[in-house]
Amino acid sequence: MTALEISGLAKEYVDSYSGDRVTAIGEVTFTVEEGEFVSILGPSGCGKTTVLNIIAGFVEQTAGTVKVGGRVVDGPGPDRGVVFQNHALFPWKTVLGNAAFGLRMKGIPAARRREIALEHLELVGLAGFENRYPHELSGGMRQRLGVARVLANEPAVMLMDEPFASIDAQTRRKLQEDLTRVFELRRPTVFFVTHDIDEAVFLSDRVVVLSRRPSRVREIVTVDLPRPRDWQGTTALPEFREIANHITALLSEGGDREGPELTAA
Ligand SMILES: Nc1ncnc2c1ncn2[C@@H]1O[C@H](COP(=O)(O)OP(=O)(O)OP(=O)(O)O)[C@@H](O)[C@H]1O
Ligand SMILES: [Mg+2]
């Protein structure tokens, strides 16, 4: 079953200062199947965040459609859960209160909310921290909480925009491995934005590679590496390097370079 269907998506922004039109997304089409992990990669400013924000319903597209579970979406909804780069947690709520927030909105009774939230905190490695407040957590722990909160709601699609970008390299590696473990255990449908090629290949079943602005899909690369994956073992596979090199080549072939050949597209 197709969980997420993006077809003919385009977005033109009008700059609020200059009034200039910016074509952020030229034409983007792809799907994400149920239980699939799909990443989107592309040069800075090619519209990755814009694609995610349109899927989330925060930004309206200029053309094209987004379908979740076969239904056209035209605004935010509980069927899409977003893990933000800078956490977006409630500072006045405890870790448990944050994890249970969406469940409360769904009208689930208190005892059951607590049970579900605790289960998901444990899943992401936050057992024992339920009574802390977000400011008492490290950046990596806040991202874990963001993941727990979204997963607890069982959205049809989980959306993540560079969730580990502002986290030190060592912690990031651990978060990538733990996200993979959680994914392999629960099989949520994930749409993940990144500009890190190794991260995209390690995490994903498929990688959508965009050109520079106005962006188009250059290629959708299948990552046929065995699961369960672990960073050391998986990145040491010759196939891993081949795929990563292929994507690097795609991005440098014009995708990541200023040049008239792509702006004329
Ligand atoms: N609200 C806005 N108004 C006008 N232009 C915008 C707006 N948001 C984004 N843009 C422009 O649209 C283009 C795509 O932006 P977007 O943030 O989607 O790119 P990105 O691929 O996520 O970049 P990065 O890799 O740096 O995060 C950029 O040129 C950006 O300046
Ligand atoms: Mg972005």
Side-chain angles (χ1 to χ4, degrees), residues 13-16 22-25 42-51 85 161-162 193 195 213:
Y13 285 110
V14 180
D15 190 287
S16 46
V22 177
T23 304
I25 308 172
S44 184
C46 74
K48 302 180 294 295
T49 294
T50 301
V51 171
Q85 184 173 333
D161 189 0
E162 306 209 37
V193 171
H195 61 255
R213 217 157 36 80

Side-chain angles (χ1 to χ4, degrees), residues 103-143:
L103 302 168
R104 184 173 187 167
M105 301 308 287
K106 279 186 179 170
I108 294 171
R112 181 71 190 127
R113 286 206 300 267
R114 187 184 160 81
E115 209 172 82
I116 298 172
L118 284 173
E119 176 199 328
H120 286 85
L121 289 174
E122 171 152 19
L123 184 71
V124 301
L126 283 178
F129 291 92
E130 50 273 11
N131 297 321
R132 303 285 186 94
Y133 287 87
H135 73 90
E136 298 177 283
L137 305 180
S138 68
M141 289 162 88
R142 286 185 206 143
Q143 284 313 72

Side-chain angles (χ1 to χ4, degrees), residues 51 53 62 88 103 129 149 239-240:
V51 171
N53 282 337
T62 312
L103 302 168
F129 291 92
R149 179 169 66 174
E239 297 90 329
F240 179 94

